[in-house]
Amino acid sequence: MVTVTAAAPTVTGDERTLTPAQYEEWAAEVRRLADERGAVVLAHNYQVPEIQDVAHHTGDSLYLSRVAAQTDAREIVFCGVHFMAETAKILSPEKTVLLPDHDAGCSLADSITAEQLREWKAEHPGAVVVSYVNTTAAVKAETDVCCTSSNAADVVRSIPEDREILFCPDQFLGAHVKRVTGRENIRIWAGECHVHAGISPSDVRSQIAAHPDAEILVHPECGCTTSVLDLVSNGDLPAERTRVLSTGGMAEAAAATRAGQVLVATEVGILHQLRALNSGTQFIPMNDRAACRYMKMITPEKLLRTLQTGQGAIEVPDDVAARARRAVEAMIAIGEPGRGGE
Ligand code: 13P
Ligand code: SF4
């Protein structure tokens, strides 16, 4: 018997499900319903293009946390994954926070539980716990200070040198923070995001060989971060063309660059944002299969339904929220209110 294996479809990061006419009609209704409800629509940079375009604010995790903390809107409709909507609820407990699909989870947030963190803390009494925002509210409640990819190094630098640090859950971001801060007394949890871990050193080698003059933007959650920086230290990649950044930092770099080509190592949804910011540069995914199925669970149809029904409210128990809030607010107080990274 002959079996034929279909090639995986190429993901461009710019896939749309609505025609331009459908988009106009849908977007007008989304904005009308949002106004009627007193809602602000927030979208992460990995959302599908229509949702990035219709949102009142689109950006990285830190930027969206800041907007959620400061908005005057009665309601926040969060187009992103569960931990992001939960963080908005923690910061604005008096507001209704709606998530269009509660199954939009995160493999990184799933890589540590509150119980595991409590056990880890018990093994290292006195250590300061730094958790990435890609964690559940229960993990944040066990945390001293949260961080995102754009402020993780600043958060670690804010901790006295003599204190031991437990960093969780992302091993690649942890390794990067250790490298840029030079901190030795930092222990790193072995968690990872399945999408970013899958962007490998071999993807980097083949894409650099195919695009030798391209600039390179790498998200620190990527499995290839260390090997890219090793290529820089060996002199195989020019340092001025290679940067490790949050998705918001990538957007800033994309708007400013004059390069002909930029290789982008992160979830492919960001490419829509980068291309919208700079049409003179070609933005190429380092790995075109790096799509987050959780982020793509938020569809135009589900966003509209959420605004029509008001269903999908996120709840966080008061005691958990109060403890988690200290860690998130401690993070928000550190560093400049930018959309960038290190
Ligand atoms: P940032 O947008 O903060 O860089 O985070 C990336 C991410 O993986 C969110 O899920
Ligand atoms: Fe989580 Fe990775 Fe998806 Fe980001 S890309 S939401 S870290 S699974």
Side-chain angles (χ1 to χ4, degrees):
M1 195 174 81
V2 179
T3 54
V4 178
T5 309
T10 300
V11 177
T12 66
D14 242 337
E15 280 77 13
R16 287 167 190 275
T17 54
L18 302 179
T19 64
Q22 286 171 328
Y23 174 80
E24 290 307 327
E25 195 183 332
W26 168 84
E29 188 59 359
V30 165
R31 286 300 185 106
R32 187 189 71 74
L33 287 167
D35 283 352
E36 198 175 277
R37 302 185 67 86
V40 64
V41 179
L42 307 185
H44 188 264
N45 287 324
Y46 298 157
Q47 289 289 291
V48 298
E50 291 92 339
I51 290 181
Q52 291 191 33
D53 292 347
V54 82
H56 296 103
H57 302 276
T58 300
D60 70 9
S61 310
L62 181 60
Y63 173 73
L64 295 176
S65 303
R66 289 186 193 279
V67 176
Q70 289 161 6
T71 182
D72 293 331
R74 279 200 304 272
E75 203 171 77
I76 297 169
V77 179
F78 213 113
C79 299
V81 292
H82 195 275
F83 76 80
M84 295 181 173
E86 226 178 32
T87 305
K89 181 68 183 174
I90 289 165
L91 287 167
S92 294
E94 71 296 350
K95 296 191 195 310
T96 302
V97 177
L98 303 177
L99 176 65
D101 187 336
H102 281 218
D103 287 336
C106 170
S107 58
L108 181 53
D110 286 345
S111 60
I112 189 164
T113 64
E115 183 56 35
Q116 286 172 314
L117 180 51
R118 276 192 290 273
E119 283 169 15
W120 202 29
K121 282 164 65 171
E123 288 163 19
H124 300 278
V128 180
V129 177
V130 178
S131 296
Y132 199 26
V133 285
N134 298 41
T135 43
T136 61
V139 166
K140 289 184 178 76
E142 295 292 335
T143 294
D144 294 301
V145 53
C146 287
C147 70
T148 74
S149 54
S150 67
N151 66 6
D154 286 338
V155 166
V156 165
R157 286 190 194 106
S158 75
I159 297 165
E161 293 264 359
D162 58 345
R163 299 289 301 276
E164 184 180 24
I165 296 171
L166 302 182
F167 188 97
C168 73
D170 190 71
Q171 58 178 303
F172 300 111
L173 177 63
H176 182 62
V177 167
K178 185 171 179 171
R179 184 168 40 233
V180 299
T181 61
R183 295 291 276 259
E184 284 304 324
N185 55 354
I186 175 164
R187 292 177 190 273
I188 299 166
W189 191 258
E192 63 183 32
C193 151
H194 70 290
V195 178
H196 287 87
I199 305 176
S200 67
S202 75
D203 293 327
V204 170
R205 279 192 298 276
S206 58
Q207 286 292 57
I208 290 175
H211 308 282
D213 298 324
E215 274 185 12
I216 295 171
L217 304 180
V218 179
H219 194 280
E221 282 176 30
C222 287
C224 63
T225 309
T226 300
S227 54
V228 169
L229 293 176
D230 285 348
L231 290 172
V232 173
S233 358
N234 297 341
D236 293 329
L237 272 182
E240 63 282 7
R241 281 208 266 121
T242 311
R243 298 178 70 191
V244 179
L245 295 166
S246 73
T247 62
M250 288 183 180
E252 286 176 0
T257 189
R258 297 284 168 268
Q261 293 186 321
V262 177
L263 287 169
V264 182
T266 192
E267 207 274 349
V268 292
I270 186 77
L271 294 165
H272 171 68
Q273 184 77 213
L274 306 186
R275 289 168 185 150
L277 286 164
N278 181 345
S279 57
T281 296
Q282 194 188 1
F283 295 95
I284 304 162
M286 194 69 89
N287 175 328
D288 64 15
R289 298 170 310 288
C292 174
R293 65 178 181 277
Y294 302 115
M295 284 282 178
K296 309 310 179 207
M297 284 180 180
I298 312 301
T299 60
E301 193 190 358
K302 288 181 198 168
L303 170 57
L304 185 61
R305 202 176 321 126
T306 298
L307 286 162
Q308 287 164 340
T309 63
Q311 284 176 355
I314 292 284
E315 300 299 341
V316 182
D318 288 347
D319 54 328
V320 174
R323 290 165 61 215
R325 191 172 308 120
R326 283 183 293 115
V328 181
E329 287 180 346
M331 166 189 87
I332 287 186
I334 295 167
E336 291 300 308
R339 299 171 67 169
E342 180 144 5

